[in-house]
Amino acid sequence: MKILPVILLLLSANAMAQEYTLQVESMMANSAQKTYGEWKQYSTRAVSTLQNYKSVTVKTSRYGGRTDRKAKASGFFRAEKIGQRWWIIDPEGHLMVNLGVNSVSTAASDSSRQLMEKSYGNKQAWAAQTKALIQSLGFNALGAWSDTESFVNTPSQQVRPLSYTIIKNFMSDYGKKRGGTYQAPGHTGYPDNTIFVFDPEFPAFCDEYAKQLAKYKDDKNLFGYFSDNEMPFQRLSLDRYLAKKDTTDPGCIAARKWLQSKGYNAATLTDAIRNEFLGYMADTYFSIVSKAIKKYDPNHLYLGSRFHSYEKKVPEVFRAAGKYIDVIAINYYREWTPLAEDLTNWTAWSGRPFIITEWYAKGEDSGMPNYSGAGWIVRTQADRGLFYQNFALALLESGNCAGFHWFKYQDNDPSNLKTDPSNRDANKGIVQLDYTVYTGLTDKMRELNAQVYSLIDFFDGRK
């Protein structure tokens, strides 16, 4: 009696393996050295290669949720596990996946402003037409660093809203006030790569800082908050706190006290001890920040601080985060196809769903140097579209991913030298600097996004 399920499982696994029938050529760039790696072929699947898949039309709500399935409506976005799958529940109770684009805003340089005015006439027209574009591609959300004010004020926002996120900088802004932070590629840098989470003044700062969120607490179109971006939860964080020259630094004191309380010896640190400390460090940060956020806005999702590096493999960090975060945000780079073990572990460790909040590929045919940033380089815009589908299909298949946000709306502006070094010269956008749409990419985005719920039902049906 047990043989049949095993045979069916093997047949299913074989069918899935046969879906990766496309080959896409890709490479990585070294941003610092301005060099390129070698082109390699990567096995890829797309909607068109799925075995026995037939698209089924699923009507959607004004928020982008599926109208054929509902849960309890709270008037705000929330997360719930139903059966074996995590969902976002929209304010009206419809089950949904949060599909977003990051940095939906006009570039800051004078030349870009002139291009915007040439294409749209003014900012209001840009927002209205860009909202229509994003929703026509099947996206239902604005990711981090978007010009939310312009979109909130568009005439169609109340009828067919784009949900939006707000990214704050609890630790980063505290660091600016305290002193010692600096601009690193893609995020804020901290002295010795150690955040100030153990400073006795940090909780009071967070409480005062979070007061600005109270004005959003009744906005049903707000999806949730990020509290920071890509902080250093690193393998050697404990070592760095202990090695501080200023032994009166609160981080140094906290690390020493923690070691003593655990009975560990600083001279014989292991990675197990280091990871345990990272969990303590994460618990301290998320407990302080989540308390402040929920005090002034108890209605919206807390999305965390956008994990991105070593911590993605550390159970202790996710266990700590899961105690305070509603949906865990992860910036996911350097994997052509998301690793099944990652998609399983993040939720198993935390007890929470996750959203991928940064991922992208850059096209060689854009004519841009494409040195900056961590994304893949591919030959064409159509290949960018295949990367989008390949990556998103794995996320939808997992059952633990409640959404994903493409990085980003517009290509880097090489004339804007005020931006950080990771956003200087690369083809990351769905539109060019002159606002021309990359149709080779967006056609593939639209194809997948329009079938998200049909694809989910397909994947759930063959498990």
Side-chain angles (χ1 to χ4, degrees), residues 13-131:
N14 184 56
M16 285 185 277
Q18 291 177 3
E19 292 173 353
Y20 290 85
T21 56
L22 304 176
Q23 293 291 317
V24 176
E25 202 171 20
S26 185
M27 68 174 176
M28 286 282 185
N30 185 311
S31 301
Q33 298 179 11
K34 293 196 179 329
T35 57
Y36 300 112
E38 294 183 1
W39 290 100
K40 296 181 180 179
Q41 297 282 350
Y42 289 87
S43 296
T44 303
R45 68 173 170 172
V47 173
S48 63
T49 70
L50 296 177
Q51 297 285 305
N52 302 315
Y53 170 69
K54 293 182 179 179
S55 177
V56 177
T57 300
V58 179
K59 293 182 179 180
T60 55
S61 71
R62 63 199 195 99
Y63 289 102
R66 56 188 306 169
T67 57
D68 61 340
R69 296 190 63 183
K70 291 193 72 174
K72 181 180 178 180
S74 67
F76 300 96
F77 291 97
R78 63 184 184 86
E80 182 180 342
K81 188 175 185 181
I82 299 175
Q84 298 301 307
R85 178 173 291 276
W86 280 95
W87 294 92
I88 298 300
I89 312 301
D90 78 15
E92 297 172 345
H94 300 289
L95 278 58
M96 71 175 297
V97 178
N98 185 257
L99 306 174
V101 181
N102 283 311
S103 302
V104 187
S105 60
T106 56
S109 68
D110 290 340
S111 60
S112 181
R113 186 177 65 254
Q114 292 168 3
L115 287 169
M116 183 274 290
E117 292 173 351
K118 180 180 179 181
S119 298
Y120 299 97
N122 55 52
K123 192 72 167 289
Q124 291 74 26
W126 165 81
Q129 293 182 48
T130 298
K131 180 174 180 292

Side-chain angles (χ1 to χ4, degrees), residues 248-407:
T248 66
D249 180 273
C252 182
I253 293 172
R256 291 184 175 187
K257 285 184 176 180
W258 181 84
L259 269 183
Q260 185 178 19
S261 72
K262 295 291 183 178
Y264 298 143
N265 189 329
T268 56
L269 295 181
T270 64
D271 282 349
I273 293 173
R274 293 182 175 102
N275 289 349
E276 187 179 351
F277 178 79
L278 283 180
Y280 171 64
M281 179 177 151
D283 194 285
T284 305
Y285 171 81
F286 291 119
S287 64
I288 293 170
V289 172
S290 65
K291 180 180 178 181
I293 290 174
K294 295 297 185 180
K295 177 179 178 180
Y296 296 102
D297 183 354
N299 298 326
H300 293 105
L301 295 168
Y302 175 34
L303 309 171
S305 62
R306 303 166 71 92
F307 292 146
H308 77 297
S309 189
Y310 175 79
E311 71 274 13
K312 299 201 305 294
K313 303 291 186 180
V314 181
E316 291 85 351
V317 171
F318 280 81
R319 291 187 190 119
K323 293 162 60 177
Y324 309 102
I325 298 176
D326 299 304
V327 179
I328 296 179
I330 300 171
N331 297 345
Y332 200 19
Y333 291 114
R334 301 194 180 280
E335 298 293 347
W336 183 260
T337 302
L339 300 179
E341 64 186 67
D342 286 342
L343 308 187
T344 298
N345 288 340
W346 294 334
T347 295
W349 294 336
S350 66
R352 302 289 184 178
F354 61 86
I355 55 175
I356 300 302
T357 42
E358 285 187 27
W359 57 294
Y360 65 89
K362 305 172 279 191
E364 188 183 43
D365 62 350
S366 67
M368 303 188 77
N370 287 328
Y371 289 124
S372 63
W376 298 92
I377 301 174
V378 294
R379 295 291 191 184
T380 68
Q381 299 303 309
D383 288 341
R384 293 179 76 202
L386 288 174
F387 172 72
Y388 181 87
Q389 290 200 0
N390 179 73
F391 205 91
L393 287 171
L395 299 177
L396 295 173
E397 192 172 26
S398 76
N400 295 328
C401 180
F404 37 89
H405 297 177
W406 177 264
F407 192 86

